[in-house]
Structures are given as structure tokens and as C-alpha cells.
Amino acid sequence: MITAASKLAVITGASSGIGFELAKQFIDHDYDIIIAADTEKVFDAADALRGKGKNIEPVKADLSTYDGVEMLYQKIRDCGRPIDAIALNAGVGVGGDFITNDLNRELEMINLNVKSVVQLSKRVIPDMVSRGKGKILFTASSVSISPAPYLAVYGATKAFVLSFADAIREELKDTGVTITSLMPNATDTNFFARADMEDTRVGEMKKDDPALVAKQGFEAMMDGEAHVYGGSIKSKLMTASEEIMPENLKGMMQAAMSKPGSAKHH
Ligand code: NAP
């Protein structure tokens, strides 16, 4: 049960990886939380997060569907409390050659990474604007500013997220509601296994700690910053350099990292 004692945050995709670590950040900063994910793992995550005296409400919802997002929003409303912050973080990748990848998997990914983000934003942001306060964190990506060969559709979903976030940030700048985009580099989560990318260079290389990435995202959101690159200094420098690199060069670099079979130990 969520009670009215502390601030309330919602985190999507909180059963593992960056979202789970974001949930920990909110708890450590005295928030009650509603966490959402697609599978039973969301209940395990809630159990793992309990113990610090905060209220945690797990919601199992397939956010790639319209009804799944509406169900989560209904659960948020059922709490009877306004939300102070939301991390729209749930997302998946589909690695491999565009011409042979399964279309249905790609469309499902678009539904999760793009459609659910628009739908949930449409539901929660007006309430925040009416209250004159709220903090929103979108998990975009370093590939939001680069073509992503062998992750082509995924990369485009993340470009969408960044563009959308930046646009509504400007629209909402005088409302008291802030919008922040987290742009992680390769981070050590279930992402690469789920995207069938374990035989790629990026899949096998050492990656950033999701706890560090979540902390960076949380702090940037609290400060109301527009963007934050995620990860180590090296990762941040890599993402920063992409801001000024030509698209074809970025595409070549990303291809070398993501091409199926590119892993050295393959
Ligand atoms: P992850 O560990 O695989 O986490 C993905 C989360 O999304 C899980 O909680 C998963 O829950 C949830 N999810 C997946 N499908 C869902 C659905 N249909 N409905 C509701 N929830 C769903 O990977 P992660 O790296 O932490 O990913 C979090 C975000 O970071 C994603 O948006 C990803 O694009 C972004 N990102 C990751 C990296 C990276 O290198 N890892 C880099 C840049 C950006 P279930 O397991 O219960 O389905």
C-alpha cells in the first residue's frame, strides 16, 4: 500500500538493470515507489527493494500494449496521490541485420520504446502541469544521437525519445515540470542478451555499472538538467565526441561494435 507520508515516484522497467537501480535511488531519497515491468520479476524486484521502510507497489503490465499502459496509469490513480517524479525507462533492443530481423519483434519494440512513452507521458504530465511541479526522466541512449547499424530500429526509437523529450522540455519550461534525458553508453544489464547481441563486440566488452548510470540519471533529474550522458568518464567522452562527428563515421563505429559475429571471442 502506498500511503501519503512521502513523495511518490513511478519507475517503468524497474525489474532489472538501470530501472532497478533507479528504483533504489528513489528509495534512498525517501520516495515511495510504483514499479512496473512485464514479467513476474517485478514482484521479486519489489521484495528486493523492501526493507528501507518505503512503500513499494509492483505493477505487472505489458507496456508494449495500449491496455498495459492504461492499466499502469489506473494503478497510479488508485493510489490517490499525485506523482512527484516518473522515470520512463522500460525499453528493449532488437539486434541483427534489418533485412532479416523479425518485423513483429521490431514493431513490438517500437510499441514499448516509443508508443508507451508517448501514451504514459500524455497521461501523467498534464496532472503534473496542473500541480505546477514534477520531475520526469526519460531513458534515451548514446545512440539517440547516432545511427545504430545492426540495431537500426532500436537506434531510431531512442532518437525519437530524445527528440520528444527535448521538445516537451521547451513547451513546459515555465510550468514547474522538468524533463531530463539520460543517455547511457553500453551498460551491464540484460539488454544485450535480450537483444540477441552476445556475439557482438559491444555485447562482450566491459560495460558501465547500471548503479552508476542510474545515480547520474537521478541526480540530473533532481537538478532539472536537460541531458546527462551515462557511465564512466571514457563513456561520457565517447558520447560527447559523437555530438560533433559526421553521421557516416558514427555509423561505421557503431556497426563495428554491433555487427553479428563481431565479438573477438566468438
Ligand atoms: P534490462 O535490464 O533488460 O531492463 C529492461 C526493463 O524493461 C526490465 O525491467 C523489463 O522487465 C522491462 N520491460 C521489457 N519489456 C517490457 C514490456 N513489454 N512492458 C513492461 N516492461 C518491459 O535493460 P536496461 O539496459 O536496464 O534497459 C533500461 C533502459 O535503458 C531501456 O530503455 C534501454 O533502451 C536503455 N538503455 C540501455 C543501455 C544499455 O547498454 N544497457 C544503453 C542505453 C540505453 P521484464 O524483464 O520484467 O520484462
Side-chain angles (χ1 to χ4, degrees):
M1 254 316 268
I2 299 285
T3 57
S6 22
K7 289 169 287 184
L8 178 61
V10 177
I11 307 106
T12 70
S15 63
S16 63
I18 297 167
F20 181 71
E21 296 295 336
L22 280 169
K24 279 194 198 162
Q25 287 289 326
F26 280 107
I27 289 176
D28 288 347
H29 291 84
D30 210 29
Y31 283 77
D32 288 336
I33 57 172
I34 298 171
I35 57 172
D38 186 26
T39 66
E40 300 291 325
K41 282 193 304 182
V42 73
F43 301 111
D44 300 337
D47 289 342
L49 291 164
R50 284 195 182 101
K52 293 201 173 174
K54 304 315 298 171
N55 296 296
I56 300 165
E57 181 92 19
V59 179
K60 180 176 162 332
D62 180 359
L63 299 178
S64 70
T65 67
Y66 182 89
D67 290 348
V69 176
E70 293 303 300
M71 197 255 268
L72 171 59
Y73 183 55
Q74 191 53 50
K75 295 267 183 192
I76 295 170
R77 291 179 63 108
D78 289 347
C79 288
R81 283 169 57 185
I83 54 177
D84 299 282
I86 184 165
L88 291 111
N89 166 80
V92 293
V94 176
D97 298 61
F98 173 69
I99 57 165
T100 52
N101 275 350
D102 179 55
L103 176 62
N104 284 327
R105 268 186 82 197
E106 290 174 334
L107 294 178
E108 218 173 279
M109 170 177 65
I110 293 171
N111 284 341
L112 178 65
N113 298 9
V114 173
K115 198 174 121 190
S116 82
V117 168
V118 173
Q119 190 182 342
L120 195 52
S121 298
K122 185 75 86 180
R123 295 291 178 247
V124 300
I125 297 177
D127 299 341
M128 287 179 163
V129 170
S130 307
R131 283 179 79 212
K133 62 180 190 175
K135 294 184 185 303
I136 301 168
L137 181 69
F138 290 99
T139 305
S141 171
S142 56
V143 300
S144 295
I145 54 166
S146 165
Y150 306 108
L151 263 176
V153 180
Y154 171 76
T157 69
K158 290 293 161 177
F160 181 102
V161 171
L162 184 65
S163 171
F164 172 63
D166 281 341
I168 55 176
R169 178 180 168 86
E170 177 65 22
E171 287 186 28
L172 300 181
K173 69 180 176 197
D174 299 321
T175 64
V177 178
T178 61
I179 310 267
T180 302
S181 296
L182 170 60
M183 298 163 69
N185 212 296
T187 307
D188 193 6
T189 70
N190 294 337
F191 178 88
F192 295 94
R194 207 163 172 151
D196 295 329
M197 292 181 69
E198 281 169 315
D199 65 342
T200 63
R201 270 175 75 182
V202 63
E204 72 168 357
M205 77 181 207
K206 187 174 179 316
K207 300 180 198 44
D208 290 318
D209 179 355
L212 170 67
V213 172
K215 183 171 187 290
Q216 292 163 333
F218 182 86
E219 288 172 357
M221 172 177 52
M222 288 300 137
D223 292 345
E225 287 169 26
H227 302 154
V228 60
Y229 302 145
S232 63
I233 302 279
K234 191 176 156 210
S235 294
K236 283 172 172 256
L237 283 173
M238 274 173 60
T239 310
S241 68
E242 297 205 336
E243 299 274 10
I244 51 164
M245 238 184 250
E247 298 301 297
N248 62 340
L249 184 57
K250 289 189 281 195
M252 277 165 58
M253 284 171 51
Q254 293 286 347
M257 301 300 289
S258 302
K259 190 167 180 167
S262 57
K264 286 200 183 99
H265 302 104
H266 181 54

